[in-house]
Every structure is written in C-alpha cells, then in structure tokens.
Amino acid sequence: MSSANRGVVYKGPGEVAVESIAYPELALGNRKCEHGVILKVVTTNICGSDQHMVRGRTTAEPGLVLGHEITGIVVECGRDVEFINQGDLVSVPFNIACGRCRNCKSGKTGICLNVNPARPGAAYGYVDMGGWVGGQTEYVMVPYADFNLLKFPDADQAMDKIKDLTLLSDIFPTGFHGCVTAGVGPGSTVYIAGAGPVGLAAAVSAQLLGAACVIVGDMIEDRLAQARSFGCETIDLTQDGDMADKVEAILGEREVDAFVDCVGFEAHACGCNHGKEAPATVLNSAMSLTRAGGEIGIPGLYVTEDPGAEDEAAKQGSLSMRFGLGWAKSHSFHTGQCPVMKYHRPLMQAILFGKVNIADAINVQMITLDEAPKGYADFDGGAAKKFVIDPHGSVPA
Ligand SMILES: NC(=O)c1ccc[n+]([C@@H]2O[C@H](COP(=O)([O-])OP(=O)(O)OC[C@H]3O[C@@H](n4cnc5c(N)ncnc54)[C@H](O)[C@@H]3O)[C@@H](O)[C@H]2O)c1
Ligand SMILES: [Zn+2]
Ligand SMILES: [Zn+2]
C-alpha cells in the first residue's frame, strides 16, 4: 500500500499550496480511531466555507490541511469497523459524529458532543472543528465509519453520477436543510440570498420540495444567470431600490413565505454600496421580506470571532440586527451546521433515480489536485462554478 500523500494546505491569508503531507493513521494524536477507515479520495470539493479561512476571516492557523467535502473508496478498515468494507465507494458527511452522544442519538450530528473537546460539532480540515485532518488530499481518515459513511449501492452506477453524488457530502444537504427549516413546501414562495454553490443547491432543493416560485438574489451576474438556467427568478443586488419592491415586481406581493440565507457573515451591502461589507444585511432582509409567522433558514455561516471584520463588535461576532422586527412577526430562525446524515440518503436516491440534476444546476467543474490553488482563486473571484478536485484522476471525462 502507498504511504505517500499530498493535500491542499492553508499557508496564510490568500494562499493555499499543494504539499506532501503525512499518510493518514487510524488515530488523531493520542486518540485511537479503530472505528475509522482510510479512504482513497475520489472527489473532494472546494467550499465557500473554506474561503472564509483562506481569506483570513477566521482564526485558522497556517499549516491546516483543508477539505471537508469528501467522497472516496475504502482502502483500510480499523479493527472495530463492522459494516463498511474495503472497496466500498462512500460519501462522507462533513460533520464528524460519534453516533453515541445525546445529540447524535437525536439526529443532531452537526453538534456531536464527543468529537471536539473545544465545542459541540466537528468537521474535517476546519478551524475550531476538532483538529481532524482535511480531505482535499489523496488519502484521508474518517472516524466512526459505520455511523458516518453513506455507501453507494453500486459503485459503477455511482461513478456515472459522481459529479452529482459528490455534492452529498455538504452543499446539497445543506441547501435542502436550509429550505426544510425555512418551511418550504408545495406552493411556497421562496427567497434565497446568495447564488454561490450553496444558494444554487438551495434553489434546486426548493424546486424539489415543490416551491411555486424561487427567487435568488446576488451581486454576481454570472451566478444569477446560472440560477435562471434552471428556472429561478433573480434579483441583481448591484441595482439600487427597495427589496420589497423587487419582490413585488416578481410575485405581486411584498413578502415571501420562506427565506434562506446562503451568504453568511461576509455579506455585502445591496445597491450602490455593494462593494462594502454589511454582515447583518441578509439577516435584516430576512426579517423584512419574510411573511409574519414564516421561517428563516440560515445555512450561511456566522462566526464567534472575525479578525478581518470592519468594526469592533463584528470582530467578536456581534452583529447589528433589527431583532425586534423578527420578534414582532413571530419568525423562527434556524442556524448551524447542516446535519448532513438526515438528508444524504434520500438525496442520493433522488440523484440515482434521475429526479434532480444538481451538478448541472451548480455547474460542477472538475480539476486536478495541482489545479486546486487556481480553483480557490477563481472561486474567490466569483466564478459561477463549483470546483471538484479529482486527486487520482479517477473520474472519467
Ligand atoms: N451551515 C452549513 O452546514 C454550511 C455548509 C456549507 C456552506 N455553508 C456556508 O454557506 C455560505 C455559502 O457558501 P457558498 O459555497 O455558496 O459560498 P460563496 O461565497 O460562493 O457564495 C456566497 C454568495 O453570496 C453573495 N452575496 C454577498 N452578499 C450578498 C447579499 N447581501 N445578498 C445576496 N447575496 C450576497 C456573494 O456574491 C456570493 O455569490 C457560506 O457562508 C458557507 O460557509 C454553511
Ligand atoms: Zn462545505
Ligand atoms: Zn455524538
């Protein structure tokens, strides 16, 4: 068996590099992981969540091996793995979960109590998420494999749809969760803030859930065009004007049933100030645009510390929200990591049975491991693409 490994490493603000790294062990420091497996990575995606770190907007330290969106083939099983076998092709939920704590037992795998000594919840290759090594690599270790992994029923069939299935590790479930928590159902009108990969995945999910009209807002025209390509309405937020007027022009009503924030704390102001950051702007729009009694899904990421924030309060994660408006309208807010395991199996079935074309909708672009730094730069520049790394050249063209 090979003992070499390479991966994408965070070098400091604005810089990532592909470097030789240690071959994974069934351990994290002193913590034995006989419940884990080693995967040969088949696909691993670059995420907007990685960009927060790479832009220097978190407390991530240089040297961190990146990557939490992983699909791979099992090449080694720990002693205590019972139901996953060598050769299985599997999707890895980005949340690391023990399967044994009270949160895991109630399906809240995004806030597992046993996998991160610092706080509830863990992930691969992420600041404050337990120190687990990332998977934008050739090989990676996945702990609690029996609990975490989703095995594809037929590996050959799965390879035919791997560009879709690779999105099950994070953004398809995340977009879907955003819509489910926002109460999207048949006939809903939905506003999705952000046309990045998560926003587009939420838009596809809203359609899958039966929404009557899906409106996507962003400042990047190419990303809005991508949303229109599969039937969404769009709002160009570089244009001045009242958001409610723009919604009314589309729906004939000034509010939507459901609102999904797929932007997070690096949100920009709308209109002529769109070059400027305004971290609470999407949350404030959510309260003004969502009907009374409506729900607001917030998969967009908010942080407890933002060293790059423009004001002192935001550096501590304190944002200027008009919370009284949400209170007055009896809004419900749903935050946090998506518990991927809740959704990955049904969404896999929707892909395998041809009910959804998520890879086309979000414009998956395959790249090699060596192209990862360019992928990061292009994604940061607002490309209307989801970059998926194929570290071993195993995906057929
Ligand atoms: N909760 C979870 O489990 C989870 C999982 C994955 C990603 N995320 C988060 O979801 C967010 C989106 O991820 P992504 O990969 O699509 O990132 P991305 O950076 O590609 O997309 C964000 C988009 O928001 C747009 N935007 C900025 N300000 C806006 C505003 N005021 N209104 C509307 N759009 C605005 C940007 O132009 C950009 O296109 C990130 O914060 C990411 O960390 C959360
Ligand atoms: Zn992600
Ligand atoms: Zn747990």
Side-chain angles (χ1 to χ4, degrees), residues 1 22-39 74-81 84 86 124 132-133 139-146 149:
M1 189 186 303
Y23 189 81
E25 292 173 24
L26 293 170
L28 177 64
N30 294 329
R31 183 174 188 159
K32 280 263 163 242
C33 295
E34 290 294 347
H35 42 65
V37 299
I38 293 172
L39 295 185
V74 177
V75 292
E76 185 184 339
C77 292
R79 188 194 58 207
D80 299 340
V81 176
I84 290 286
Q86 261 190 39
Y124 307 84
W132 302 89
V133 180
Y139 296 91
V140 68
M141 193 274 286
V142 171
Y144 304 101
D146 283 322
L149 292 175

Side-chain angles (χ1 to χ4, degrees), residues 25 29 154 166 365 369:
E25 292 173 24
D154 180 297
T166 191
Q365 162 101 47
L369 186 57

Side-chain angles (χ1 to χ4, degrees), residues 47-50 68-69 94 170-171 386:
C47 181
S49 298
D50 300 322
H68 58 270
E69 302 191 5
F94 79 86
D170 181 347
I171 65 162
K386 173 76 172 175

Side-chain angles (χ1 to χ4, degrees), residues 12 47 59 65 95 110 113 126 133 135 155 197 205 266 274 321 358 364 383 385:
C47 181
T59 51
V65 178
N95 335 94
L113 300 173
Y126 215 87
V133 180
S205 300
E266 289 192 71
H274 68 268
M321 274 174 77
I358 181 89
V364 163
K385 289 177 179 166

Side-chain angles (χ1 to χ4, degrees), residues 48-49 52 94 170 197-198 218 223 237 262-263 268 299 301 336 338 379:
S49 298
H52 301 308
F94 79 86
D170 181 347
V198 172
D218 202 301
R223 291 185 166 192
L237 298 172
C262 299
V263 181
H268 281 226
L301 190 145
C338 166
F379 187 38

Side-chain angles (χ1 to χ4, degrees), residues 162-184:
I162 200 73
K163 289 181 190 172
D164 298 272
L165 295 170
T166 191
L167 305 172
L168 292 173
S169 56
D170 181 347
I171 65 162
F172 194 10
T174 295
F176 197 81
H177 178 66
C179 289
V180 168
T181 55
V184 177

Side-chain angles (χ1 to χ4, degrees), residues 31 112-122 127-131:
R31 183 174 188 159
C112 172
L113 300 173
N114 288 331
V115 282
N116 179 358
R119 59 163 81 170
V127 60
D128 294 333
M129 287 285 123

